[in-house]
Amino acid sequence: DAGVIQSPRHEVTEMGQEVTLRCKPISGHDYLFWYRQTMMRGLELLIYFNNNVPIDDSGMPEDRFSAKMPNASFSTLKIQPSEPRDSAVYFCASSLARGTLHNEQFFGPGTRLTVL
Amino acid sequence: QKEVEQNSGPLSVPEGAIASLNCTYSDRGSQSFFWYRQYSGKSPELIMFIYSNGDKEDGRFTAQLNKASQYVSLLIRDSQPSDSATYLCAEDTGRRALTFGSGTRLQVQP
């Protein structure tokens, strides 16, 4: 398997522009997670899906952030409008539910977002 | 307040020594715990997970869990310079999403 795939790997945009980040989970995995990582706040969960349904979006910082999962093999995280404080590395991760204690999550390579 | 606490380091050990990384958590309902390794500029990579009290060994790595004291540790035996990275501790309270600590930076000196 190719692992979790994210695109783009790097994104530089100007404040106020719309940004769309994309993720393809590992085939067969039924959970998908979006995280954001910064030096100040570490790795934070933004939202996660189970079988394409959003389960918890309490980590989404503002209404400017939205996420969708139209099918089992694709998810997007959109920021509109973007602000300089959104600059971070955004990771997508996926896992397969194999029981309540087995929740190994596998991370994609991340998208480094810079908002000028 | 962060639910998972780690010393940010850096923790510096000589090559061949045992590196001991520690993590405490506040939620007694936490069911399982994970150690991820993250090299600079890379994504987190799963090393081990543990959910039972006691030790779990995998090669040079040993994870230890003490639920009564609410701490998790990771021991790396025969440390190598290639082990130099940030180690993230994470907990799963049963809701599937992980809460990560801020990570401990490990430096293995040749």
Side-chain angles (χ1 to χ4, degrees):
Chain A
D1 200 315
V4 177
I5 298 173
Q6 290 187 248
S7 65
R9 296 291 305 276
H10 302 274
E11 177 81 27
V12 180
T13 190
E14 293 189 347
M15 182 173 63
Q17 296 299 305
E18 177 178 297
V19 175
T20 300
L21 311 180
R22 298 172 175 79
C23 175
K24 176 180 170 56
I26 293 172
S27 178
H29 280 193
D30 51 358
Y31 280 85
L32 183 139
F33 306 83
W34 282 102
Y35 291 90
R36 177 173 68 175
Q37 188 173 41
T38 62
M39 288 293 293
M40 289 297 295
R41 301 178 66 86
L43 195 58
E44 301 175 285
L45 176 70
L46 300 177
I47 184 172
Y48 74 100
F49 297 82
N50 176 218
N51 291 322
N52 314 338
V53 176
I55 302 300
D56 186 349
D57 66 353
S58 60
M60 298 284 261
E62 304 171 28
D63 291 345
R64 298 184 297 106
F65 286 70
S66 62
K68 294 182 179 180
M69 192 166 185
N71 58 62
S73 60
F74 183 65
S75 177
T76 60
L77 177 67
K78 186 176 294 186
I79 308 172
Q80 166 63 21
S82 58
E83 297 183 3
R85 59 193 168 123
D86 301 330
S87 297
V89 180
Y90 290 81
F91 288 107
C92 176
S94 69
S95 70
L96 174 64
R98 295 186 293 117
T100 57
L101 298 176
H102 293 268
N103 182 24
E104 303 96 296
Q105 295 183 17
F106 298 91
F107 282 74
T111 295
R112 182 174 296 277
L113 173 65
T114 302
V115 183
L116 303 175
Chain B
Q1 181 180 354
K2 200 74 172 179
E3 298 172 1
V4 178
E5 297 286 346
Q6 295 181 258
N7 187 319
S8 61
L11 172 66
S12 185
V13 300
E15 183 175 356
I18 296 176
S20 177
L21 304 161
N22 300 309
C23 168
T24 59
Y25 61 94
S26 57
D27 190 339
R28 288 194 173 272
S30 296
Q31 299 185 1
S32 52
F33 301 86
F34 302 80
W35 283 101
Y36 282 81
R37 177 177 62 199
Q38 187 175 26
Y39 292 113
S40 180
K42 301 296 185 181
S43 58
E45 172 191 14
L46 180 66
I47 297 176
M48 293 187 72
F49 71 92
I50 185 169
Y51 52 83
S52 297
N53 270 328
D55 296 358
K56 179 181 179 182
E57 186 174 317
D58 184 2
R60 295 187 297 112
F61 299 96
T62 298
Q64 300 175 318
L65 174 59
N66 184 322
K67 291 188 176 182
S69 300
Q70 296 179 242
Y71 81 78
V72 192
S73 61
L74 179 70
L75 302 179
I76 306 174
R77 290 182 298 281
D78 188 23
S79 296
Q80 301 297 309
S82 59
D83 294 326
S84 298
T86 296
Y87 289 80
L88 301 167
C89 173
E91 66 172 356
D92 178 2
T93 58
R95 66 188 185 114
R96 290 285 162 184
L98 298 182
T99 299
F100 284 84
S102 54
T104 298
R105 188 157 62 96
L106 173 66
Q107 294 178 341
V108 181
Q109 306 296 334

